[in-house]
Amino acid sequence: PLLIRLGQRRGCDAPGTIRHVSVSHVVADVSRTAPDGAYDIRGPPGNDVYHNPLPCSIVGHPQDCRRIQDITLDHWDLTVPGRATRAMAHVPLWQLDNVPERLDGYP
């Protein structure tokens, strides 16, 4: 239910700054099925795994980490369907650097 992303659009100068953001009193149920199932246009077919493994993200470029400041999430009631395997639910801190950045893939 939340994505805060600082990025650099193609053809633009350096990204700006995200700061002093507060998101509070959120109640959300994360769907186990495709969240776009009732839409006329949907994501790629054939994805039978859990569709929302990361329902909330605050992300930016590694070199611009100081450009995201003072984000506050307060009073959240987030219900996720569960039933994940340990492999899906547990990523050791030493493996976090294994996620590729793919900065050129952002439109």
Side-chain angles (χ1 to χ4, degrees):
L2 175 70
L3 170 65
I4 298 175
R5 184 176 194 308
L6 176 65
Q8 182 174 351
R9 303 295 290 194
R10 289 186 185 142
C12 295
D13 294 331
T17 302
I18 298 174
R19 67 176 93 144
H20 311 303
V21 175
S22 177
V23 183
S24 63
H25 297 90
V26 173
V27 177
D29 290 319
V30 178
S31 173
R32 181 164 185 78
T33 60
D36 58 0
Y39 298 166
D40 291 336
I41 299 175
R42 291 182 291 284
N47 186 359
D48 295 330
V49 298
Y50 177 47
H51 284 78
N52 301 299
L54 299 171
C56 299
S57 299
I58 300 172
V59 296
H61 290 225
Q63 66 270 23
D64 295 325
C65 63
R66 291 178 306 279
R67 296 178 186 261
I68 300 177
Q69 304 169 4
D70 190 23
I71 307 289
T72 302
L73 308 178
D74 188 38
H75 291 93
W76 277 57
D77 183 355
L78 180 63
T79 302
V80 294
R83 292 183 280 167
T85 65
R86 180 170 172 82
M88 290 173 68
H90 177 73
V91 177
L93 292 177
W94 57 268
Q95 285 188 346
L96 293 179
D97 290 334
N98 293 343
V99 178
E101 291 295 340
R102 298 184 184 173
L103 297 177
D104 294 335
Y106 184 68

